[in-house]
Amino acid sequence: ELRGEVATVQFKMIANGNETITAQEYALSLISYGSTRNNPANLTRVGQLHSSPIRITIEEYKAFLKVLESLDEIDFVLRSFVTAGEPFSKQQLKRAAKAVSKVDLSDNVLDVVFFVFDTSGD
């Protein structure tokens, strides 16, 4: 599969010969996907990850990319949760990713995603 090969090449470029990437490297790759890359709040939060002990494996990296492929469907599921009065949480995203993309997002991935994008902490 071409997407898998592209993801492997991307990961290897970020990892620079290492088996894993840092939380900060992963966060930078995340914000490069959308309109948030020019958001100073996101960049500030990425910078705060410089001393994080979290490491992301290639499997975790590829799992989240698979979720991004189904972003419209995931968004619909998450909006349904919120409309039903349930809070948007790491567990909700994990459940939505599993239901739509058939992948299990790791706690490390969820921690980085929420740290960077949930600037209000709610």
Coordinates of all heavy atoms in Angstrom, one line a residue, residues 76-115:
F76 N -17.8 13.4 12.5 CA -19.3 13.2 12.7 C -19.6 12.4 14.0 O -20.5 12.8 14.8 CB -19.8 12.4 11.5 CG -21.2 12.0 11.6 CD1 -22.3 13.0 11.5 CD2 -21.6 10.7 12.0 CE1 -23.6 12.6 11.6 CE2 -22.9 10.4 12.2 CZ -23.9 11.3 12.0
V77 N -18.8 11.4 14.3 CA -19.0 10.6 15.5 C -18.8 11.4 16.7 O -19.6 11.4 17.7 CB -18.1 9.3 15.5 CG1 -18.1 8.6 16.8 CG2 -18.5 8.4 14.4
L78 N -17.7 12.2 16.7 CA -17.4 13.0 17.9 C -18.4 14.1 18.1 O -18.8 14.4 19.2 CB -16.0 13.7 17.7 CG -14.8 12.7 17.8 CD1 -13.5 13.3 17.5 CD2 -14.8 11.9 19.1
R79 N -18.9 14.7 17.0 CA -20.0 15.7 17.2 C -21.3 15.1 17.7 O -22.0 15.7 18.5 CB -20.3 16.4 15.8 CG -19.2 17.3 15.4 CD -19.6 18.0 14.1 NE -18.4 18.8 13.6 CZ -18.1 20.0 13.9 NH1 -18.8 20.6 14.8 NH2 -17.0 20.6 13.4
S80 N -21.5 13.8 17.4 CA -22.6 13.1 17.9 C -22.5 12.9 19.4 O -23.5 13.1 20.2 CB -22.8 11.7 17.2 OG -23.0 11.9 15.9
F81 N -21.3 12.6 19.9 CA -21.1 12.5 21.3 C -21.3 13.8 22.0 O -22.0 13.9 23.1 CB -19.6 12.1 21.6 CG -19.3 10.6 21.3 CD1 -18.1 10.3 20.7 CD2 -20.2 9.6 21.6 CE1 -17.7 9.0 20.5 CE2 -19.8 8.3 21.4 CZ -18.6 8.0 20.8
V82 N -20.8 14.9 21.5 CA -21.0 16.2 22.1 C -22.4 16.6 22.1 O -22.9 17.1 23.1 CB -20.0 17.2 21.4 CG1 -20.3 18.6 21.9 CG2 -18.6 16.9 21.6
T83 N -23.1 16.4 21.0 CA -24.5 16.7 20.9 C -25.3 16.0 21.9 O -26.3 16.5 22.5 CB -25.1 16.4 19.5 OG1 -24.3 17.2 18.5 CG2 -26.5 16.8 19.3
A84 N -24.9 14.7 22.2 CA -25.6 13.9 23.2 C -25.2 14.3 24.6 O -25.7 13.7 25.6 CB -25.3 12.4 23.0
G85 N -24.4 15.3 24.8 CA -24.1 15.8 26.1 C -22.8 15.2 26.7 O -22.5 15.4 27.9
E86 N -22.1 14.4 25.9 CA -20.9 13.7 26.5 C -19.7 14.6 26.2 O -19.7 15.2 25.1 CB -20.7 12.4 25.8 CG -21.8 11.3 26.2 CD -21.5 10.0 25.7 OE1 -20.3 9.6 25.7 OE2 -22.4 9.3 25.2
P87 N -18.8 14.7 27.1 CA -17.6 15.6 26.9 C -16.7 15.0 25.8 O -16.6 13.7 25.7 CB -16.9 15.6 28.2 CG -17.4 14.3 28.9 CD -18.8 14.0 28.4
F88 N -16.1 15.8 25.1 CA -15.0 15.4 24.1 C -13.8 15.0 24.9 O -13.2 15.9 25.5 CB -14.8 16.5 23.1 CG -13.8 16.1 22.1 CD1 -14.1 15.3 21.0 CD2 -12.5 16.5 22.2 CE1 -13.2 15.0 20.0 CE2 -11.5 16.2 21.2 CZ -11.9 15.4 20.2
S89 N -13.4 13.8 24.9 CA -12.3 13.4 25.7 C -11.4 12.4 24.9 O -11.7 12.0 23.8 CB -12.8 12.6 26.9 OG -13.4 11.4 26.5
K90 N -10.3 12.1 25.5 CA -9.3 11.2 24.9 C -10.0 9.8 24.6 O -9.9 9.2 23.6 CB -8.1 10.9 25.8 CG -7.2 12.1 25.9 CD -6.1 11.9 26.9 CE -5.3 13.1 27.2 NZ -4.3 12.9 28.2
Q91 N -10.8 9.4 25.6 CA -11.5 8.1 25.4 C -12.6 8.2 24.3 O -12.7 7.2 23.6 CB -12.2 7.7 26.8 CG -11.3 7.1 27.8 CD -10.4 6.0 27.2 OE1 -9.2 6.2 27.0 NE2 -11.0 4.9 27.0
Q92 N -13.2 9.3 24.1 CA -14.2 9.4 23.0 C -13.4 9.3 21.7 O -13.9 8.7 20.8 CB -14.9 10.8 23.1 CG -15.8 10.9 24.3 CD -17.0 9.9 24.3 OE1 -17.1 9.0 23.6 NE2 -17.9 10.1 25.3
L93 N -12.3 10.0 21.6 CA -11.5 10.0 20.3 C -11.0 8.6 20.1 O -11.1 8.0 19.0 CB -10.4 11.0 20.4 CG -9.5 11.0 19.1 CD1 -10.3 11.2 17.9 CD2 -8.4 12.0 19.3
K94 N -10.6 7.9 21.1 CA -10.1 6.5 21.0 C -11.2 5.6 20.5 O -11.0 4.8 19.6 CB -9.6 6.0 22.4 CG -8.9 4.7 22.3 CD -8.2 4.4 23.6 CE -7.3 3.2 23.5 NZ -6.1 3.2 24.2
R95 N -12.4 5.8 21.1 CA -13.6 4.9 20.7 C -14.0 5.2 19.2 O -14.3 4.3 18.5 CB -14.7 5.2 21.6 CG -14.6 4.5 23.0 CD -15.7 4.8 23.9 NE -17.0 4.9 23.4 CZ -18.0 5.4 24.0 NH1 -17.9 5.9 25.3 NH2 -19.2 5.5 23.5
A96 N -14.0 6.5 18.9 CA -14.3 6.9 17.5 C -13.3 6.3 16.5 O -13.7 5.8 15.4 CB -14.4 8.4 17.4
A97 N -12.0 6.4 16.8 CA -11.0 5.9 15.9 C -11.1 4.4 15.8 O -11.0 3.9 14.6 CB -9.6 6.3 16.5
K98 N -11.4 3.7 16.8 CA -11.6 2.3 16.7 C -12.8 1.9 15.9 O -12.8 1.0 15.0 CB -11.8 1.7 18.2 CG -11.9 0.2 18.2 CD -10.7 -0.5 17.8 CE -10.8 -2.0 18.1 NZ -9.7 -2.8 17.6
A99 N -13.9 2.6 16.1 CA -15.2 2.3 15.4 C -15.1 2.7 13.9 O -15.5 1.9 13.1 CB -16.3 3.1 16.0
V100 N -14.4 3.8 13.6 CA -14.4 4.2 12.2 C -13.2 3.7 11.4 O -13.3 3.2 10.3 CB -14.4 5.8 12.1 CG1 -14.2 6.2 10.7 CG2 -15.7 6.3 12.7
S101 N -12.0 3.7 12.0 CA -10.8 3.4 11.3 C -10.2 2.0 11.7 O -9.2 1.6 11.1 CB -9.7 4.4 11.6 OG -10.1 5.7 11.3
K102 N -10.8 1.4 12.7 CA -10.4 0.1 13.1 C -9.0 0.0 13.7 O -8.2 -0.9 13.5 CB -10.5 -1.0 12.0 CG -11.8 -1.0 11.3 CD -12.9 -1.5 12.2 CE -14.2 -1.7 11.4 NZ -15.2 -0.7 11.6
V103 N -8.6 1.2 14.3 CA -7.2 1.2 14.9 C -7.4 1.6 16.4 O -8.3 2.3 16.8 CB -6.3 2.2 14.2 CG1 -6.0 1.8 12.8 CG2 -6.8 3.6 14.3
D104 N -6.4 1.2 17.2 CA -6.4 1.5 18.6 C -5.3 2.6 18.7 O -4.1 2.3 18.5 CB -6.0 0.3 19.5 CG -7.1 -0.7 19.6 OD1 -8.2 -0.3 19.9 OD2 -6.8 -1.9 19.4
L105 N -5.7 3.8 19.1 CA -4.8 4.8 19.4 C -4.1 4.7 20.7 O -4.8 4.4 21.7 CB -5.5 6.2 19.3 CG -6.0 6.6 17.9 CD1 -6.7 8.0 18.0 CD2 -4.9 6.6 16.9
S106 N -2.8 4.8 20.8 CA -2.1 4.6 22.1 C -2.4 5.9 23.0 O -2.7 7.0 22.5 CB -0.6 4.5 21.8 OG -0.1 5.7 21.4
D107 N -2.1 5.6 24.3 CA -2.2 6.7 25.2 C -1.2 7.8 24.9 O -1.5 9.0 25.0 CB -2.0 6.2 26.6 CG -3.2 5.4 27.1 OD1 -4.3 5.5 26.5 OD2 -3.1 4.7 28.1
N108 N 0.0 7.4 24.4 CA 1.0 8.4 24.1 C 0.5 9.3 23.0 O 0.7 10.5 23.0 CB 2.3 7.7 23.7 CG 3.1 7.2 24.8 OD1 2.9 7.6 26.0 ND2 4.0 6.3 24.6
V109 N 0.0 8.7 21.9 CA -0.5 9.5 20.8 C -1.6 10.5 21.3 O -1.6 11.7 21.0 CB -1.0 8.7 19.6 CG1 -1.9 9.4 18.6 CG2 0.2 8.0 18.9
L110 N -2.6 9.9 22.0 CA -3.7 10.8 22.5 C -3.2 11.9 23.4 O -3.7 13.0 23.4 CB -4.7 9.9 23.3 CG -5.5 8.9 22.4 CD1 -6.2 7.9 23.3 CD2 -6.5 9.7 21.5
D111 N -2.2 11.6 24.3 CA -1.6 12.6 25.2 C -1.0 13.8 24.4 O -1.3 14.9 24.7 CB -0.6 12.0 26.1 CG -1.2 11.2 27.2 OD1 -2.4 11.2 27.4 OD2 -0.4 10.4 27.8
V112 N -0.3 13.5 23.3 CA 0.3 14.5 22.5 C -0.7 15.3 21.7 O -0.7 16.5 21.7 CB 1.4 13.9 21.5 CG1 1.9 15.0 20.6 CG2 2.5 13.3 22.3
V113 N -1.7 14.6 21.1 CA -2.7 15.2 20.3 C -3.5 16.2 21.2 O -3.7 17.4 20.9 CB -3.7 14.2 19.7 CG1 -4.9 14.9 19.1 CG2 -2.9 13.4 18.6
F114 N -3.9 15.7 22.4 CA -4.7 16.6 23.3 C -3.9 17.7 23.8 O -4.4 18.8 24.0 CB -5.4 15.8 24.4 CG -6.7 15.3 24.0 CD1 -6.8 14.2 23.1 CD2 -7.9 15.9 24.5 CE1 -8.1 13.8 22.7 CE2 -9.1 15.4 24.1 CZ -9.2 14.4 23.2
F115 N -2.6 17.5 24.1 CA -1.8 18.5 24.7 C -1.6 19.7 23.7 O -1.7 20.9 24.0 CB -0.4 18.0 25.0 CG 0.5 19.1 25.6 CD1 0.4 19.4 27.0 CD2 1.4 19.8 24.8 CE1 1.2 20.5 27.5 CE2 2.2 20.8 25.4 CZ 2.1 21.1 26.7

